[in-house]
Amino acid sequence: MALLFKSSWDRADWWRAELLKRIPDLDFRVWPEVGDEAAIDYALVWKPKPGDLARYRNLKAVFSLGAGVDHLFADPTLPKVPICRLVDRALTRGMAEHVLTHVLRFHRNLPGYERQQRAFEWKGLPIKLPEERTVGVMGLGELGGAAAATLADFGFGVRGWSRTPKTIDGVESYAGGGALDAFLSKCEILVCLLPLTRATEGILNRNLFAKLPRAACLINAARGGHLLEEDLIPALDTGQLGGAALDVFRVEPLPRGHPYWTHPRILITPHVASVTDPRSSADLVADNIRRIDAGEAPLYAVDPAKGY
Ligand SMILES: NC(=O)c1ccc[n+]([C@@H]2O[C@H](COP(=O)([O-])OP(=O)(O)OC[C@H]3O[C@@H](n4cnc5c(N)ncnc54)[C@H](OP(=O)(O)O)[C@@H]3O)[C@@H](O)[C@H]2O)c1
């Protein structure tokens, strides 16, 4: 069986080595050395160009190299085969670590101390206990659910928002559009871990910011498309938001002249909140190839109607 690998971000040699350990007879082809297009059974990809995948007419499945599949559904010619996202313990742990790091940074007011240091100012700022701090997580799936559970274990007051209700120890569940305002009303730190779909595009906007407590902080580790870019700086400059930690952007890399780079209340990381590691992620891809080969349904196939 032949698998086509295409990504300008992930390392083909690592993936080849890890997949061949699991499926020694796999014909692992790296784009653009595709060979006979009709022989390709599987595509393992990150951000293929629209139209790319339609060339492989005998595809049995498409595997995303990341947890998100928005980069695939942007293609109107996407083949009608199972589209599988990546779910992996290392990816989940990495995201929980990213979220905990940034929540603690805001919780302990490190941005405030960084500003004071630049002004040679020696002054203690107010401190709260974690249980006195409410953190809200938008999206309680594989990543958001694990991040919320980690924050709850740490002692924060945690609430989460998802489409359907969830039961996670220590996490107050809010479900559906009707519960969004109540959810937002107490979030001093808001974490976005939603998938990017038609329903969630631009959800982080001035109307939503206005429903948060004043000086709330935003952590966006989901997708740049969730944030209405022009609404962020006014919210920070008026004090409605106290700070933002952004890992994802509408255009990546973030263009050099973008005002986010130099804003004193924005911390930028270059889409590294959680990075796919083939040493563990290859398990699911290999498992799914075996399942499809045996006539079984693959794991973590997304619902095209929902887009995630
Ligand atoms: N920055 C990075 O390095 C990085 C790395 C990996 C992933 N990500 C991003 O993280 C996202 C989440 O990944 P995941 O694996 O946790 O996804 P997931 O398991 O599919 O979970 C998605 C969650 O969002 C909720 N949701 C979806 N649409 C909603 C809506 N319209 N209203 C309310 N809730 C909604 C879902 O609710 P239900 O459970 O009720 O369906 C679910 O709880 C990915 O799509 C990707 O964009 C970023």
Side-chain angles (χ1 to χ4, degrees):
M1 67 198 79
L3 176 141
L4 175 68
F5 179 93
K6 185 173 189 212
S7 168
S8 51
W9 169 261
D10 304 83
R11 288 205 27 196
D13 54 339
W14 286 9
W15 271 98
R16 182 198 300 275
E18 292 300 328
L19 279 176
L20 290 188
K21 272 188 214 166
R22 291 157 176 86
I23 309 179
D25 60 346
L26 181 69
D27 178 3
F28 186 96
R29 303 185 189 179
V30 182
W31 192 90
E33 307 299 324
V34 179
D36 177 9
E37 291 176 349
I40 302 294
D41 299 293
Y42 303 103
L44 176 60
V45 291
W46 181 247
K47 292 190 180 174
K49 286 201 180 68
D52 268 6
L53 294 172
R55 308 158 70 97
Y56 310 110
R57 57 184 182 278
N58 294 319
L59 265 189
K60 295 178 182 147
V62 176
F63 306 130
S64 172
L65 277 157
V69 288
D70 47 293
H71 63 111
L72 296 169
F73 283 117
D75 179 356
T77 66
L78 186 65
K80 305 235 174 309
V81 295
I83 308 293
C84 302
R85 65 203 194 86
L86 203 64
V87 174
D88 169 46
R89 60 193 179 283
L91 197 66
T92 303
R93 199 176 49 219
M95 185 57 83
E97 186 180 288
H98 176 88
V99 170
L100 180 62
T101 302
H102 287 276
V103 166
L104 285 172
R105 174 174 171 268
F106 286 129
H107 171 63
R108 295 303 303 248
N109 207 346
L110 291 188
Y113 289 114
E114 284 161 15
R115 283 191 291 276
Q116 288 190 179
Q117 181 174 346
R118 287 193 288 275
F120 303 95
E121 201 174 344
W122 180 276
K123 188 178 82 186
L125 297 170
I127 288 182
K128 277 188 176 189
L129 297 171
E131 48 272 33
E132 295 169 321
R133 179 83 68 193
T134 301
V135 184
V137 181
M138 299 178 81
L140 289 177
E142 291 295 329
L143 303 180
T150 301
L151 295 168
D153 278 352
F154 201 87
F156 287 106
V158 184
R159 46 177 59 195
W161 183 68
S162 45
R163 231 170 32 85
T164 54
K166 302 283 174 235
T167 307
I168 303 173
D169 268 359
V171 179
E172 209 180 326
S173 166
Y174 292 76
L180 181 58
D181 289 7
F183 162 78
L184 293 169
S185 65
K186 295 271 187 309
C187 297
E188 298 168 85
I189 301 174
L190 181 70
V191 180
C192 180
L193 279 174
L194 289 165
L196 184 62
T197 65
R198 278 194 298 275
T200 64
E201 207 281 335
I203 193 167
L204 303 174
N205 58 46
R206 76 177 74 175
N207 293 332
L208 179 140
F209 301 151
K211 291 170 183 159
L212 293 166
R214 194 161 171 79
C217 294
L218 173 69
I219 298 168
N220 186 16
R223 285 290 179 264
H226 288 122
L227 174 62
L228 216 55
E229 284 206 335
E230 62 274 25
D231 286 4
L232 181 64
I233 290 181
L236 290 166
D237 289 349
T238 57
Q240 178 54 30
L241 289 184
L246 307 177
D247 186 60
V248 285
F249 303 89
R250 285 186 182 248
V251 178
E252 295 181 359
L254 186 65
R256 203 180 156 83
H258 199 289
Y260 287 179
W261 279 116
T262 49
H263 196 281
R265 289 185 183 265
I266 297 176
L267 178 70
I268 288 169
T269 49
H271 201 144
V272 290
S274 192
V275 177
T276 301
D277 183 339
R279 288 172 300 183
S280 52
S281 301
D283 284 344
L284 176 63
V285 175
D287 196 18
N288 269 341
I289 290 174
R290 283 194 211 98
R291 292 174 75 96
I292 294 170
D293 219 40
E296 294 167 26
L299 301 172
Y300 301 110
V302 297
D303 175 352
K306 283 196 295 181
Y308 73 96

